[in-house]
Amino acid sequence: MTSDYYTLLGVTKNASTEEIKKAYRKKALKYHPDRNSGDKDAEESFKKITEAYKVLSNPEKKSQYDRYGHEFFTQQENSGYYGAGANFSNEDPFEVFKEVFGGNSVFENLFSSATNSSNYESRENNLDIKYTLDISLEEVCSGGDREIEYKRYLKCVDCYGKGYPKSSSMLTCMECSGTGFVIINKGFFNIKQSCSNCSGRGVLIREVCNSCTGNGFTSKKVYIKIHIPKGIETGSKLRLKGKGDYGQNDNCGDLYVFINVKDHNFFERSGDDISCIVPLTFKTACLGGSITVPTLSYGNITLNIPKGTQNGTIFKIRNYGLPRINTNLKGHQFVKVEIEIPKKLTKNQEDILKN
């Protein structure tokens, strides 16, 4: 491996601290001695990339490295010019590794990171998926089926949810002796909980599955048909058991579909009832007659208007509202009339009104 720190980590001089850290993590996992037993070249590479990270992750040292160049900087660094205890030969690369990955055990950090254990554990407590579905008022009236698209985590088909290929070697977790759990003493109580060292697996994995990067699951876009009951309201929740994310022991969470009924451009809803406003001519209001009124799902109907109908009068059309959920009952449609006053009248019309 070349000695230039930027080339060692595979980053540019303009790389951010986070990009440098990310590059180090990737290479540290690749060259860690626990993954390359007996490989002296890998061990030396591990030391070199750790040395590179130690410098480039420190803004002050990075600035000095960029200013003076690799050869001069390393000579001065090893001589202690930049401060006591800076000699690279005295550095423990495993301590740096633990600082980056967190935790106290090098072996724990290497493999728990490789299998994304923290992500694995957090998902086990939250495998349910929430989905908001917008529906129309017409769909509330008729009910029916809708196909939705969403993403969920499914068992990896390449490793069958194990997180590692069949050929991968494993080591029994020493923290839990392969049981997957530990007993914690809390005063008078002993509490059984998942082993944090192996994330409850009981084993530490040396090689992860390439398809799922050791998680045991992959994200997929899926389609599913759901049934919308008649009369459903905004805020209603439909539960589809087992359609959530994949978890341990082939357990899957549930899919919760939250209903949002969109506003209608003509009708307003109030429970099972609907209402609308229709225009009424001045003549019909005075003399009576009939008008055509649209309904939500039953086409147009004829509404009889009695003589002398006043502006704002509300008519009730029974059983033309929305179905009441899980029953055979229906609400009503309320029609409010607004009388249209003509802006211009003929002389004959004016005379009739005057008389």
Side-chain angles (χ1 to χ4, degrees):
M1 296 181 69
T2 180
S3 297
D4 175 72
Y5 289 160
Y6 290 105
T7 307
L8 279 171
L9 294 182
V11 297
T12 65
K13 286 189 175 182
N14 297 324
S16 65
T17 303
E18 187 59 35
E19 288 172 330
I20 292 171
K21 185 175 183 179
K22 183 177 180 180
Y24 171 71
R25 287 174 61 96
K26 183 177 180 180
K27 288 186 176 292
L29 287 173
K30 179 180 179 181
Y31 293 110
H32 195 285
D34 283 342
R35 278 189 162 179
N36 302 273
S37 180
D39 188 338
K40 295 298 182 181
D41 290 337
E43 183 178 343
E44 186 63 26
S45 297
F46 180 73
K47 292 179 181 179
K48 285 183 177 294
I49 61 174
T50 301
E51 175 185 314
Y53 172 75
K54 191 74 174 177
V55 173
L56 299 184
S57 63
N58 184 309
E60 183 179 351
K61 288 187 177 183
K62 182 177 184 295
S63 177
Q64 294 167 349
Y65 182 80
D66 291 342
R67 186 181 303 119
Y68 300 114
H70 178 81
E71 185 174 353
F72 180 81
F73 176 85
T74 52
Q75 287 176 354
Q76 298 300 315
E77 185 82 352
N78 287 325
S79 68
Y81 181 81
Y82 293 132
N87 193 313
F88 289 131
S89 62
N90 295 327
E91 291 280 357
D92 183 358
F94 295 104
E95 288 300 321
V96 178
F97 183 84
K98 286 191 288 185
E99 289 175 10
V100 174
F101 286 87
N104 298 316
S105 166
V106 174
F107 202 75
E108 169 193 345
N109 287 312
L110 174 64
F111 292 105
S112 64
S113 174
T115 56
N116 295 325
S117 64
S118 59
N119 183 32
Y120 190 87
E121 287 179 322
S122 63
R123 285 187 62 261
E124 287 304 310
N125 298 323
N126 187 23
L127 298 176
D128 295 334
I129 297 176
K130 296 179 180 179
Y131 183 98
T132 299
L133 177 64
D134 294 328
I135 65 173
S136 66
L137 201 58
E138 285 82 1
E139 288 177 289
V140 174
C141 188
S142 63
D145 295 329
R146 276 280 298 273
E147 186 177 69
I148 64 171
E149 169 193 326
Y150 68 103
K151 284 187 176 181
R152 64 181 296 205
Y153 289 114
L154 296 173
K155 179 195 290 188
C156 177
V157 296
D158 291 331
C159 67
Y160 303 101
K162 294 180 179 180
Y164 54 89
K166 188 176 181 180
S167 58
S168 176
S169 59
M170 294 176 291
L171 185 69
T172 300
C173 176
M174 300 301 294
E175 295 289 332
C176 64
S177 301
T179 62
F181 62 86
V182 293
I183 305 296
I184 305 297
N185 181 266
K186 297 288 186 179
F188 295 104
F189 302 98
N190 288 327
I191 300 175
K192 180 180 177 180
Q193 65 181 36
S194 177
C195 176
S196 60
N197 191 44
C198 64
S199 303
R201 296 180 185 269
V203 293
L204 298 171
I205 306 165
R206 287 188 176 275
E207 182 184 357
V208 300
C209 171
N210 290 328
S211 298
C212 65
T213 63
N215 290 310
F217 55 85
T218 54
S219 178
K220 297 289 184 181
K221 183 184 295 184
V222 296
Y223 301 87
I224 189 172
K225 187 176 291 185
I226 64 172
H227 179 71
I228 302 172
K230 294 181 180 180
I232 199 166
E233 298 184 67
T234 291
S236 297
K237 180 173 63 177
L238 303 176
R239 177 190 180 195
L240 284 80
K241 189 173 178 60
K243 299 301 181 181
D245 287 331
Y246 168 78
Q248 276 184 325
N249 302 318
D250 287 337
N251 292 327
C252 287
D254 299 330
L255 171 65
Y256 288 92
V257 179
F258 291 84
I259 298 297
N260 176 57
V261 182
K262 297 183 293 186
D263 291 336
H264 199 277
N265 58 7
F266 184 70
F267 294 103
E268 286 190 7
R269 179 181 188 177
S270 178
D272 304 325
D273 299 326
I274 58 173
S275 61
C276 61
I277 299 174
V278 297
L280 185 65
T281 64
F282 182 75
K283 176 182 177 182
T284 304
C286 293
L287 303 178
S290 62
I291 59 173
T292 299
V293 176
T295 64
L296 187 60
S297 296
Y298 312 101
N300 295 330
I301 62 170
T302 299
L303 179 64
N304 294 320
I305 305 297
K307 294 179 181 180
T309 294
Q310 300 298 302
N311 185 56
T313 299
I314 297 176
F315 296 91
K316 179 179 180 180
I317 307 176
R318 299 181 63 83
N319 299 322
Y320 272 73
L322 296 170
R324 186 171 301 173
I325 194 166
N326 298 326
T327 72
N328 293 322
L329 302 177
K330 292 182 180 179
H332 312 301
Q333 179 172 332
F334 293 89
V335 180
K336 180 180 179 180
V337 295
E338 288 187 348
I339 299 175
E340 296 179 324
I341 305 297
K343 295 180 179 180
K344 293 182 180 181
L345 296 174
T346 64
K347 186 175 183 307
N348 182 49
Q349 289 172 330
E350 289 181 357
D351 292 339
I352 293 174
L353 289 174
K354 290 177 181 179
N355 296 328

